[in-house]
Amino acid sequence: MSDLELNAPWTAVSVLVVDDEPGMRAILKKALSKKFAQVDTAGSIEEAEEIRKRCHFDLLIVDINLPGRSGIDWHEAFDPTTRRSDVIFITGYADLEMAIQALRAGASDFILKPFNLEQMMQSVSRCIERRLVERQNFALQRDVERSYPVDIIGDAESTQRMKKMIAQVAPSVAAVLVEGESGTGKELVARALHQLSKRTGPFVPLNCGAIAPDLLESELFGHVSGAFTGAKKGRDGLFRVANNGTLFLDEIGEMPLSMQSSLLRALEQKAIRPVGAEREVQVDVRIVAATNRNLKKEVEEGRFRQDLYYRLNVLTIELPALRERVEDIPALAHHFTQQLSKDLGMKPINWTHEDILAMQAYQWPGNIRELRNMMERCILLGKSPAVYWQELNGDTPALSAENISNQTSASENGDDKRPCQCHEDGQDQYCYPTDWTLKDVEKAHIMQVVDSHEGNKSAAARQLGVARKTLERKYKEWAEESASCE
């Protein structure tokens, strides 16, 4: 039985058979169709080229002696500027010179007629295995070499502290523990640590909570052929893939206790033992772990190993929640707008000041991930955040009734500056002392207009030409200022 028959059908692989003998085309199509979802046939190079214009094929099985152009003269199949296919040449009339010519053209294999199906399937198996390895490597390279911004967006004080800590610990080879709520950007920080570390290996991420516990050891350390049921061939684990680079273990708190001891040993010995292997393999990997749990509490409750916690907690970076860095929301909103508009193929939206204020008033329990999700939804729907919240909740993020009451009481008790009032041409006029700041004038004027409408903020907002939530935000700010002064 061939190696190909041992594997499940590879539906992602496509094959084109080119032979002028209908019987040969039928035999090969029947045999290959048992393994691959797409197997096409052609009787000449011209017919095959027309088929290739419509679809890319991973493997071409081509007879050299064809009517018209020969298989070796099919230069389009070997064009380096296009997506290359593996080519297996078959022929009943061959000599050494022809075989050398075929291999120089770029053929993967050369088979003489007559041949048995076992011989052909073994050749196909070698080509497809190599092709799948190339695909996996390409996908991995795309993941580990994608361009991620090193700069963390924002200039809030907490963000500046975080940036400083990243720059300080990045050159070290010590393990780093990144702590923060879900959605605060832990993987982005891990990637920044890797890029600033100048390590030559790849950045390899793994979500510990997304892998079944019984597969996690093999995923991290790899396994040898026959190590367990279904392990027909060996496989490198992510520790070896990340050699000389960084292994990012996201949601480390989800790792089973049985696996934590194996990880601890790997960190202490700087070596791993693939499942089923007898010898250890030395690795040079920098570990960055992340969690949204309180690992110290997990240790106290016996759900996380204390020795592993201390091994991972050599250096710690704590990420602030978005509600603790609202000053960064305008910059984040601009960044996501440009990025999402490009990705979605839509025109960028210019958010109003009112939209930014609405976003800054919200608590963001999902943090930056929720902000990005909301902005993507607003761009797709063509709605501003202010309108979106109003339709969703019937109102925008606002000040609580208790704080409004406290703020109003403070105003009535004379704690706030009030303009002097006079009458001119039968209308109320208000005068503001020249030593008042613009902030004082704005506050006094808003409160005066609200009072003139007997506390009706909706009516006052219409007169002032702003949204009601803008007034709510102002009252909230004043209440916080009053509280901080007490």
Side-chain angles (χ1 to χ4, degrees), residues 392-406:
L392 185 66
N393 303 318
D395 202 352
T396 53
L399 186 63
S400 67
E402 180 182 359
N403 286 336
I404 293 175
S405 176
N406 293 338

Side-chain angles (χ1 to χ4, degrees), residues 32-78:
L32 294 170
S33 295
K34 296 177 181 179
K35 308 300 176 183
F36 308 112
Q38 182 176 353
V39 179
D40 291 339
T41 62
S44 66
I45 296 299
E46 292 73 16
E47 182 184 356
E49 190 59 25
E50 288 299 317
I51 297 175
R52 283 183 73 242
K53 290 179 181 178
R54 302 193 303 267
C55 178
H56 169 77
F57 291 90
D58 299 291
L59 176 63
L60 306 176
I61 301 177
V62 186
D63 189 2
I64 291 180
N65 300 294
L66 293 168
R69 296 170 61 188
S70 70
I72 293 180
D73 293 330
W74 191 9
H75 304 299
E76 295 91 337
F78 300 100

Side-chain angles (χ1 to χ4, degrees), residues 410-467:
S411 300
E412 293 174 351
N413 292 333
D415 293 337
D416 292 297
K417 296 179 179 179
R418 290 286 187 168
C420 55
Q421 183 176 1
C422 59
H423 295 274
E424 184 175 338
D425 296 331
Q427 294 184 346
D428 288 338
Q429 300 290 332
Y430 299 97
C431 304
Y432 302 95
T434 57
D435 61 342
W436 281 21
T437 64
L438 180 60
K439 187 175 182 180
D440 290 336
V441 174
E442 178 192 54
K443 179 178 180 180
H445 183 66
I446 290 175
M447 297 183 72
Q448 189 65 44
V449 174
V450 171
D451 287 348
S452 69
H453 288 280
E454 298 179 348
N456 188 331
K457 290 187 176 63
S458 296
R462 286 193 293 272
Q463 180 177 330
L464 291 167
V466 298

Side-chain angles (χ1 to χ4, degrees), residues 5 19 26-27 36 39 44 72 93 146 178 207 209 215 218 223 233 249 274 297 313 316 352 413 460 464 466 485:
E5 291 172 318
D19 198 299
I27 291 173
F36 308 112
V39 179
S44 66
I72 293 180
Y93 312 94
R146 278 183 296 181
V178 183
N207 189 323
L215 298 178
S218 173
H223 62 263
K233 59 181 181 179
L249 300 178
K297 184 177 180 181
N313 194 30
T316 303
T352 65
N413 292 333
L464 291 167
V466 298
C485 294

Side-chain angles (χ1 to χ4, degrees), residues 59-291:
L59 176 63
L60 306 176
I61 301 177
V62 186
D63 189 2
I64 291 180
N65 300 294
L66 293 168
R69 296 170 61 188
S70 70
I72 293 180
D73 293 330
W74 191 9
H75 304 299
E76 295 91 337
F78 300 100
D79 186 356
T81 63
T82 61
R83 294 176 60 192
R84 285 287 303 273
S85 305
D86 285 307
V87 179
I88 298 176
F89 278 128
I90 55 176
T91 183
Y93 312 94
D95 53 27
L96 181 60
E97 182 179 351
M98 181 179 288
I100 293 174
Q101 188 178 359
L103 294 174
R104 283 179 176 175
S108 301
D109 206 347
F110 187 91
I111 299 178
L112 290 174
K113 295 181 180 178
F115 56 82
N116 56 46
L117 281 178
E118 180 70 14
Q119 182 182 1
M120 173 60 72
M121 298 305 281
Q122 288 178 352
S123 179
V124 169
S125 176
R126 288 193 295 268
C127 291
I128 297 306
E129 287 288 351
R130 183 169 58 249
R131 172 71 53 165
L132 291 181
V133 169
E134 290 174 357
R135 280 186 177 178
Q136 292 171 355
N137 290 339
F138 176 76
L140 182 60
Q141 288 298 108
R142 285 294 299 271
D143 182 66
V144 301
E145 293 183 358
R146 278 183 296 181
S147 177
Y148 283 83
V150 173
D151 292 335
I152 307 298
I153 296 173
D155 294 310
E157 184 179 351
S158 57
T159 308
Q160 292 292 348
R161 288 197 301 268
M162 179 176 62
K163 290 180 181 180
K164 184 177 180 181
M165 178 62 74
I166 291 172
Q168 185 176 357
V169 306
S172 171
V173 297
V176 178
L177 180 63
V178 183
E179 296 182 323
E181 297 179 8
S182 179
T184 50
K186 294 186 285 293
E187 182 170 345
L188 182 63
V189 169
R191 289 183 183 273
L193 285 167
H194 172 69
Q195 292 184 20
L196 292 174
S197 71
K198 306 300 182 183
R199 293 181 68 83
T200 58
F203 175 88
V204 180
L206 173 69
N207 189 323
C208 298
I211 305 296
D214 55 339
L215 298 178
L216 189 56
E217 185 176 12
S218 173
E219 189 75 15
L220 284 173
F221 304 139
H223 62 263
V224 298
S225 177
F228 49 83
T229 303
K232 295 182 175 61
K233 59 181 181 179
R235 177 175 179 269
D236 286 339
L238 295 184
F239 261 92
R240 297 191 71 176
V241 174
N243 195 41
N244 295 318
T246 302
L247 179 59
F248 175 54
L249 300 178
D250 197 9
E251 303 301 342
I252 189 69
E254 303 289 339
M255 181 175 286
L257 278 169
S258 58
M259 185 63 208
Q260 292 177 23
S261 59
S262 300
L263 176 61
L264 176 64
R265 177 176 176 79
L267 295 179
E268 291 180 337
Q269 302 296 326
K270 298 187 183 300
I272 60 169
R273 178 177 294 175
V275 179
E278 296 180 356
R279 296 182 179 180
E280 291 187 335
V281 179
Q282 295 295 316
V283 290
D284 177 17
V285 177
R286 203 259 182 97
I287 297 294
V288 178
T291 181

